[in-house]
Amino acid sequence: MNQDRYGDAAAEFETLIAGGQTDPGLRFNLAWCRAVTGEHETVLTLLDDAVVAAAPQAAALKVQALHHLGRLDEALALGPELTARYPDDPGLMSALAVAALDDEQTELAAAYAARAGQTPDALSTLGMLDLGESDVDQALARFETALEAAPDDARANLGRGLALMARGDLPAAARSLDRGAEGFVDHLGSWVAAGWAYFVAGDVATARARFELALAHDDTFAETHGALAVLDVMAGDLPAAERRTEVALRLDRQCFSAALAKSLMLASAGDTAKAERVRE
């Protein structure tokens, strides 16, 4: 594990468990390895009540596994029981704060983050909440503090990029958003955010590359199609823009980038009044 050979470590732990070893610590370490390799269903199977009771870190790992699987309701439902058992565990509080934030339960997210201390996840959660309140300076300070402790933290880099974009520091914003997107790997919103940062900075080629990356990860995200439609309009390829806009609106009738593309097409056709209504 110390050498980042998690597959080899998992094989060793499985051999010990198959041989009759029952120490909950073995199951926790195996679960940790499987979490690193993205096998979150296996993680949940391993983290039974005995393991969670024996290893405080197992509680946070279980919440994170449920979060990765999109089972936010289940993750947050564990909150009262686990926090009563481990009231001072910053890792658990951080995991619950992030889950609550992604579930759009902002007050709950703030409460868990406040109990987590200065962990990167807690600071990033509070920073995102600051951005929601338009307190860009406070948000940026939190993200910077988080990155001092964990320079590669994906959430902190994403938040820092959004804060810098709000400040108008577009080159730095784009770099930070890129780093966040690379950390998340397949988080579509991060790639799209990075694309818009490059777009606003005037680097249309890199913006298109970021939108295309998002599309390659998942072609069912409306905002990606809408963003590419905007670039197609600007490139003068109206048939492609129309096709992408139709796809985006079919996926999400409220897609903002598709609305922007549509307004640009209306404006190019001379219907400035209708274009303005769409933009509004």
Side-chain angles (χ1 to χ4, degrees):
M1 290 176 74
N2 286 336
Q3 295 171 21
D4 294 335
R5 294 165 50 200
Y6 292 99
D8 292 338
E12 296 288 354
F13 292 132
E14 285 174 340
T15 298
L16 289 167
I17 292 169
Q21 298 289 335
T22 59
D23 183 350
L26 289 176
R27 291 172 64 83
F28 168 71
N29 282 325
L30 177 56
W32 188 278
C33 292
R34 294 308 184 197
V36 173
T37 56
E39 300 167 73
H40 301 295
E41 289 284 4
T42 302
V43 172
L44 294 179
T45 301
L46 290 163
L47 296 180
D48 56 22
D49 289 342
V51 176
V52 173
Q57 287 177 291
L61 191 61
K62 188 167 187 175
V63 171
Q64 290 166 342
L66 288 166
H67 189 171
H68 278 292
L69 293 168
R71 294 157 61 178
L72 291 172
D73 289 348
E74 293 177 59
L76 294 172
L78 291 173
E81 173 194 346
L82 294 178
T83 54
R85 183 179 295 175
Y86 301 116
D88 301 315
D89 186 79
L92 173 60
M93 300 304 169
S94 297
L96 288 166
V98 172
L101 181 68
D102 284 359
D103 200 42
E104 299 182 0
Q105 297 191 45
T106 55
E107 291 185 5
L108 186 61
Y112 279 132
R115 297 177 64 180
Q118 296 289 294
T119 67
D121 277 341
L123 289 166
S124 295
T125 296
L126 293 172
M128 288 296 189
L129 295 174
D130 290 334
L131 282 181
E133 297 296 324
S134 299
D135 191 344
V136 177
D137 290 342
Q138 174 79 314
L140 189 56
R142 293 193 202 273
F143 295 132
E144 297 284 10
T145 302
L147 289 169
E148 288 173 7
D152 294 326
D153 186 85
R155 284 181 178 272
N157 275 299
L158 173 62
R160 179 176 181 271
L162 294 173
L164 289 169
M165 198 172 177
R167 270 192 171 183
D169 189 348
L170 298 174
R175 290 193 297 272
S176 193
L177 289 167
D178 263 351
R179 195 164 181 180
E182 289 163 1
F184 279 123
V185 180
D186 59 357
H187 185 264
L188 305 182
S190 300
W191 289 115
V192 171
W196 283 119
Y198 282 109
F199 173 82
V200 177
D203 187 346
V204 177
T206 304
R208 182 177 288 275
R210 297 299 178 268
F211 296 146
E212 293 284 3
L213 266 174
L215 189 66
H217 282 299
D218 185 348
D219 63 359
T220 63
F221 188 46
E223 290 295 339
T224 306
H225 292 280
L228 286 166
V230 170
L231 299 191
D232 288 339
V233 176
M234 295 187 64
D237 191 348
L238 294 182
E242 289 172 357
R243 287 194 302 272
R244 291 192 197 274
T245 301
E246 288 175 7
V247 172
L249 292 174
R250 190 162 60 244
L251 291 168
D252 179 6
R253 298 301 302 175
Q254 303 300 317
C255 177
F256 287 115
S257 56
L260 175 59
K262 191 174 180 180
S263 73
L264 292 172
M265 285 186 284
L266 289 167
S268 70
D271 195 342
T272 54
K274 191 171 183 181
E276 182 60 29
R277 287 199 300 274
V278 172
R279 275 196 294 274
E280 286 296 329

